[in-house]
Each structure stands twice: as structure tokens, then as C-alpha cells.
Amino acid sequence: MSVGIVETKFVHFDTELRLESGRILGPITLAYETYGTLNRDGSNAILVAHAWTGSAHLAGKNSEDDLKPGWWDAIVGPGRLLDTDRYFIVCSNIIGSCYGSTGPASINPKTGKRYNLTFPLITVRDMVRAQQLLIDYLGIRKLLTVLGGSMGGMQALEWSTCYPDRIASAIVLATSGKPSPMAISMNAVARWAIFNDPSWKKGEYRRNPKDGLALARGIGHITFLSEQSMNEKFGRRFSTRDGLFDFFGQFEVERYLSYNGYNFVDRFDANCFLYLAKALDLYDVAWGCESLQEAFTPVQSPIQFFAFTSDWLYPPYQTEEMVKVLEELGKTVEYHLIESTYGHDAFLLEHETFAPHIKSFLNRIESAVGM
């Protein structure tokens, strides 16, 4: 059952955050949505952290006219995995994004103009610092869990390592503790696509540089898929609308990437895309530590990990490296390798493969905290 019509809310913090870079960001606005009701002792709160170009709109629709529900609507609602009759679900838009939280597309109150490239570089850890402001504002002392995939999983790791006393558990899907040179290289090429679009104008554009951003999104989208999923979805089929020997004729997979790339231009800001891509590349759960062992030493709560066999962006061995270190440290950790042909996007598209494991995990956490 769907959560129905939901409202995106906004909270303004007249404060300044010292970022990992040493720069200061403030004031800060965060966009967020909530689902369900916070219980009397605040023990049923779950924070869902979104991925790279996600938003606070996790589930339901913002109006009757919406054509699509929230990005993870299938698992949120009465009787669903994140049961809104049982849990209070929070999803906030990360800083650096363009869906209502402070980012490069926001107006800098000191100048009255968009930040654009004057916006400071941010890290995943900075995103979590801002999230903590929201959790405090909502009156939540301790989260039952932080759940997220990809960049959302990185946020869950940061909660586990930097704010261990604020969470009772974490659930991490399709995530790397430190993106590989391969992952960084794909983002680098995506950046070049935007930089080389004449309309980008070093970030001072009036309209989105559509060709550069569409190409950047197309490059990124390839990393979300897998060879198996491309074969199953497209094969080598040629577009029926174009002649086989037309120089500009396209395979179905080309049409798919073009369609998704140019649709993306209408809903996401190019500078925000660049800043969040940089945050992904910079991510290292051991940032500021001498080793992964030192980084995971503060962990207090159980962590459940999921990796997907066909994910070549953040392949299973990267998750398994973290699991091994946590086990050696005697931490409570659970790992599931899910067979899938969907690639990195499996965590969004195949919830039925991991939902039973998460449900069982949450039941154990609830018992442990006496919920």
C-alpha cells in the first residue's frame, strides 16, 4: 500500500558548518520528507540516505498529478519493508544537491547570486554533518538504523564511524569504502563532457549545458548497468525508426542512453552533478585515519552489508574488504552477496532479493533496543 500524497518540507539552519576542506558553509537549508509517526521514546526512526542524484522524495507522490512516485516507493508504506505503521522514516536531500538543500544552484545570501563554483567542495562526511542537524531538529536522539545504497551507503558508513552513539544499526547496499581508479575515471570523463560544453561557461551558465550534462549522465548510466542487463534489455537490436545503413542510425542501447541523458537535463543541475561526482571520488571511509582498522574501531552497532554479483562500479570485493576488517575487530557484521544481472542499480530495482534479510535484521535490532 502506498503512502499516498506527501509533502516535501524545508528547514533552515542559521548556523555554519566547518567542512572537511576547512571552509565554512552556512546558513544551510535542508529539504526532507517523513513517513509514519515517531513513537513516544523516539526509538522507531529510520534515516534513508539517497544516492548520487536522488532526492528527499523517497515514496508516494507530491501531488495527484505526479506521474511517478518517489525513488524507492516500492519498499515504503503500510505493510512494506519500511512499514510506516511501525517506523518513522526520514529522507533528507543532501547538501550539494539541487532538490531543495543548499548547493551550487542555491542563492548565496552574501551576494544574492547563485553559488555556482564559489560553493565549497563537500564530502560525504559533510553531508552527514548536515543530516545530524536535521535529526536533532526532529527530536530524534538515536536512529534505529541508517539505510542507503551507493552514495547512500557511504552516508550510512559515516554515521557508523563518526556518530556511533547516534545509531542502533546501519544497512549498507552496493557501496564502496573507497571508489577505485576505474570508478573515478568514469566520473572524470563525465566531467570533461560538461567542461567541454561551450554553454557551461565555467559554471556561470544561465541555462543547463544540456549536451554536456546529457553525455555525462549517459556515461554515468553505463556504470549503473551490467553486460548481462544490457544484453537482456537491448541485445544488438537496431532502432526501427532509423535505417540500418543510415550514418546516424542507432542501436536500441544508444537510444536508451540518449533518452535518459536528455531527460536528466530537465531535472538536475550541471554544477550540482559535478560537485556530487567529486564527493563520490573523494570518499574514503578511512579519511583522517591511518588504516581501515582504525576507521572502523569506533563502530558500536551492527552493520548489514549487501553486494551484487554483477555490480562492476562498486564490486563485491570492496564490500568484502570492509566486512573482513569489521569481523577481525570483533564487530557485529552481516554480509549478503546477492545474485543479480542488474549491475549497480540492483539495489534500486530488485528489492525483493534483499528485503527478507533486512526485515529479519531490523526485527533483531528492534528486540535489542526494546522497541
Side-chain angles (χ1 to χ4, degrees):
M1 183 177 176
S2 172
V3 295
I5 304 299
V6 295
E7 177 189 0
T8 301
K9 303 173 184 177
F10 302 88
V11 58
H12 181 80
F13 297 101
D14 191 15
T15 187
E16 293 183 332
L17 283 184
R18 180 172 291 277
L19 306 174
E20 287 295 298
S21 65
R23 292 186 63 184
I24 301 297
L25 177 64
I28 293 170
T29 297
L30 293 180
Y32 71 100
E33 290 187 5
T34 63
Y35 317 84
T37 304
L38 188 65
N39 62 13
R40 184 168 298 179
D41 63 1
S43 63
N44 70 333
I46 292 176
L47 174 65
V48 178
H50 69 74
W52 185 359
T53 58
S55 70
H57 187 40
L58 173 67
K61 295 184 176 183
N62 289 141
S63 73
E64 295 287 355
D65 298 328
D66 277 0
L67 298 178
K68 292 179 65 177
W71 56 270
W72 223 354
D73 181 75
I75 70 168
V76 181
R80 295 181 177 178
L81 175 60
L82 299 183
D83 189 342
T84 49
D85 289 336
R86 186 174 187 83
Y87 305 119
F88 178 64
I89 315 298
V90 181
C91 186
S92 69
N93 187 217
I94 54 175
I95 56 171
S97 184
C98 56
Y99 288 128
S101 293
T102 300
S106 303
I107 299 299
N108 182 343
K110 296 177 182 178
T111 65
K113 300 177 181 179
R114 280 174 48 126
Y115 279 101
N116 291 330
L117 300 195
T118 66
F119 194 77
L121 283 179
I122 55 170
T123 67
V124 174
R125 192 165 296 174
D126 295 327
M127 297 170 191
V128 171
R129 283 195 181 99
Q131 283 173 348
Q132 189 180 210
L133 295 174
L134 175 63
I135 297 306
D136 289 342
Y137 169 79
L138 293 173
I140 300 167
R141 186 183 65 82
K142 192 167 188 175
L143 291 158
L144 181 68
T145 200
V146 180
L147 162 67
S150 195
M151 182 185 272
M154 294 173 183
Q155 294 165 62
L157 288 173
E158 289 300 299
W159 277 95
S160 295
T161 55
C162 296
Y163 304 101
D165 58 331
R166 299 297 305 271
I167 66 171
S169 66
I171 302 170
V172 178
L173 301 98
T175 294
S176 172
K178 181 173 60 177
S180 69
M182 175 67 79
I184 294 170
S185 71
M186 298 302 290
N187 283 347
V189 176
R191 280 190 285 272
W192 294 347
I194 295 173
F195 295 161
N196 290 329
D197 186 323
S199 62
W200 182 60
K201 298 180 180 179
K202 295 184 178 180
E204 294 297 324
Y205 49 86
R206 290 180 177 271
R207 294 182 180 178
N208 241 354
K210 65 177 185 177
D211 291 332
L213 181 56
L215 177 54
R217 179 60 171 181
I219 293 166
H221 211 75
I222 292 169
T223 69
F224 305 153
L225 305 175
S226 71
E227 183 178 9
Q228 298 100 308
S229 64
M230 283 192 173
N231 273 323
E232 292 169 4
K233 191 167 187 175
F234 310 109
R236 286 181 48 83
R237 292 190 302 276
F238 209 74
S239 170
T240 56
R241 294 192 306 180
D242 303 305
L244 180 62
F245 295 106
D246 182 341
F247 184 79
F248 293 102
Q250 293 182 317
F251 286 93
E252 287 289 351
V253 67
E254 292 179 274
R255 281 185 56 201
Y256 172 81
L257 292 173
S258 177
Y259 174 82
N260 279 280
Y262 281 99
N263 268 359
F264 184 70
V265 170
D266 295 331
R267 61 184 175 85
F268 211 83
D269 178 77
N271 285 342
C272 292
F273 182 92
L274 291 168
Y275 271 79
L276 297 184
K278 179 65 74 172
L280 281 168
D281 293 347
L282 290 173
Y283 185 67
D284 184 348
V285 69
W287 176 265
C289 300
E290 293 186 359
S291 65
L292 201 53
Q293 287 78 2
E294 181 184 344
F296 281 137
T297 295
V299 171
Q300 298 176 10
S301 303
I303 307 180
Q304 185 182 51
F305 287 92
F306 292 89
F308 299 86
T309 54
S310 57
D311 184 353
W312 63 274
L313 180 61
Y314 299 151
Y317 79 84
Q318 295 180 1
T319 295
E320 290 160 5
E321 179 185 13
M322 293 187 285
V323 169
K324 181 180 178 182
V325 170
L326 285 161
E327 288 176 338
E328 290 172 348
L329 290 170
K331 307 297 183 181
T332 303
V333 60
E334 181 180 314
Y335 173 56
H336 298 279
L337 178 60
I338 305 296
E339 289 284 339
S340 173
T341 63
Y342 277 85
H344 185 64
D345 264 355
F347 80 94
L348 289 172
L349 302 175
E350 292 190 300
H351 62 276
E352 67 279 357
T353 63
F354 56 79
H357 299 295
I358 291 180
K359 185 175 183 180
S360 176
F361 179 76
L362 285 176
N363 286 340
R364 295 196 300 274
I365 300 302
E366 290 172 37
S367 297
V369 302
M371 180 181 141

